[in-house]
Amino acid sequence: MLPAQELKRPALDFASRDFPSIDVSLTIGGALDFVRAKGLRDKIIYLYVTDSEGVLKGVLPTRRLLTEPLEKLVSDCMIPRVVAIPVKATLLDACELFVLHKFLAFPIVDEKRRILGVIDVNVFTDEVLDIAERKQTEDVFQSLGFRATEVSNSTARRAFALRFPWLLATIVGGTLCALLSGAFAATLEQQLLLAFFLTLVLGLGESVAAQSLAVTLQAMHQSNPTLAWLLRAVKKEFATAMFLGSSCGLLVGLVVFTWHRDVLAAFSIGVSIFLSMTTACLLGVLIPSISRALRMDPKIAAGPLTLALADICTLMVYFGLATLALRFFA
């Protein structure tokens, strides 16, 4: 989705000022001479007909220019009714006209219907794609914890100050994960198979947390979050997480059992994946919502915190469940 501030820009900002306009008093032969003399660089889409003051009178299709008798007046061949974009129209208004009428170009006119520019579908498409690409890039950097525009326009010290605090969230989260792994060293020694699937389990947790976070940020961008909205989002994401977690947990559990024929390890790893993915999904909804409630930018604050907490919760569930399974069933 394009940012609202870009869609509100004037359509004239995207228009070409170098467009062919033919005087209404010319004949077809005179119009052809004019086109040849002007030496148009771009392909002709529409030839707009104007009077001596530049007021739009009609449009002359290229087919008529090439097929009508040379002595015939342009005014007799042109199409008098022309769909034009008013000068105060926005990019969104122009987009709606392109979709509605399926034309390749539109003239932009002032209050007196004098042509100020022509917005071409190719120019329009290029500008929109450029805006969308820049917006997507900005969203990616914000999910990592900083704004790309702020970093690109700042000094090295300023860039460090913007980026390092959010990297601390990763450092702190990684340190806590290392401490958790150390606390469950006895469990790892007793069931070495857990170490083989540790990276997989962490990757699944981070992936589903990132997916949930992206969906939530998009939904928050399109609506004004309320408590009722949050409850609906949590309910929907919890149901999705149940399906994702059970599917991934069952699949990985079958892999573990097929590989080592260890029912306890397969059960422990499969169930821990189910629980950790469910938790990660909920974190992807709750963290940006809490960030917004605390008047923090959820795009910037939620990314590093969500991934760090997802890792910590995943390890706690993974090792905690394995420890309990070994204690009561081994």
Side-chain angles (χ1 to χ4, degrees), residues 18-329:
D18 182 19
F19 56 89
S21 61
I22 299 175
D23 192 279
V24 68
S25 63
L26 291 176
T27 62
I28 292 296
L32 282 170
D33 293 338
F34 169 78
V35 171
R36 294 191 187 100
K38 189 172 179 61
L40 300 175
R41 292 168 296 181
D42 299 327
K43 63 180 180 180
I44 300 176
I45 297 179
Y46 302 117
L47 295 171
Y48 295 104
V49 181
T50 60
D51 62 13
S52 58
E53 296 181 355
V55 177
L56 179 64
K57 293 298 182 180
V59 60
L60 181 63
T62 306
R63 180 179 59 82
R64 294 190 183 184
L65 177 66
L66 297 176
T67 58
E68 293 291 344
L70 297 179
E71 66 276 5
K72 197 169 184 178
L73 291 174
V74 168
S75 58
D76 295 332
C77 303
M78 69 180 187
I79 299 174
R81 297 185 63 180
V82 184
V83 179
I85 298 176
V87 67
K88 295 182 180 179
T90 63
L91 179 60
L92 179 60
D93 297 326
C95 179
E96 292 174 349
L97 285 176
F98 274 103
V99 173
L100 180 64
H101 294 284
K102 306 295 190 299
F103 290 159
L104 299 177
F106 289 100
I108 298 179
V109 299
D110 61 12
E111 293 80 2
K112 297 182 179 180
R113 284 189 70 81
R114 291 175 297 195
I115 299 184
L116 303 178
V118 174
I119 186 167
D120 183 285
V121 67
N122 294 323
V123 174
F124 179 81
T125 303
D126 291 342
E127 292 290 345
V128 169
L129 289 177
D130 180 61
I131 293 169
E133 183 177 354
R134 286 189 278 113
K135 180 64 170 59
Q136 184 181 26
T137 302
E138 186 72 15
D139 287 344
V140 169
F141 276 100
Q142 287 185 14
S143 68
L144 295 176
F146 56 90
R147 295 183 186 274
T149 52
E150 291 182 1
V151 174
S152 61
N153 297 325
S154 62
T155 63
R157 289 186 178 181
R158 176 60 178 165
F160 171 80
L162 288 169
R163 298 169 64 174
F164 184 71
W166 299 109
L167 292 177
L168 282 177
T170 303
I171 294 174
V172 172
T175 302
L176 290 176
C177 288
L179 294 176
L180 279 172
S181 299
F184 289 98
T187 303
L188 280 172
E189 291 177 0
Q190 192 173 353
Q191 183 56 270
L192 186 59
L193 191 59
L194 294 173
F196 297 158
F197 289 88
L198 181 58
T199 304
L200 172 62
V201 175
L202 287 173
L204 286 173
E206 289 181 352
S207 296
V208 76
Q211 291 174 358
S212 180
L213 176 63
V215 171
T216 302
L217 289 176
Q218 181 69 16
M220 292 175 70
H221 180 72
Q222 296 176 346
S223 60
N224 186 26
T226 61
L227 181 59
W229 174 89
L230 177 60
L231 293 175
R232 289 195 302 270
V234 169
K235 181 180 178 181
K236 178 181 178 181
E237 200 61 30
F238 182 74
T240 304
M242 295 281 286
F243 285 116
L244 291 173
S246 58
S247 300
C248 293
L250 179 62
L251 181 60
V252 176
L254 288 174
V255 170
V256 174
F257 178 77
T258 303
W259 184 20
H260 275 266
R261 301 293 177 178
D262 190 329
V263 177
L264 186 60
F267 171 81
S268 175
I269 294 174
V271 174
S272 65
I273 287 177
F274 168 75
L275 295 175
S276 62
M277 289 184 68
T278 304
T279 304
C281 271
L282 295 178
L283 287 174
V285 177
L286 294 174
I287 298 300
S289 302
I290 294 173
S291 300
R292 189 183 183 95
L294 296 176
R295 300 190 182 280
M296 300 170 63
D297 190 341
K299 289 184 179 180
I300 297 178
L305 294 178
T306 300
L307 294 180
L309 288 175
D311 284 343
I312 294 171
C313 292
T314 296
L315 284 182
M316 290 180 64
V317 170
Y318 187 63
F319 287 129
L321 185 62
T323 301
L324 290 175
L326 289 171
R327 180 177 300 175
F328 291 103
F329 300 105

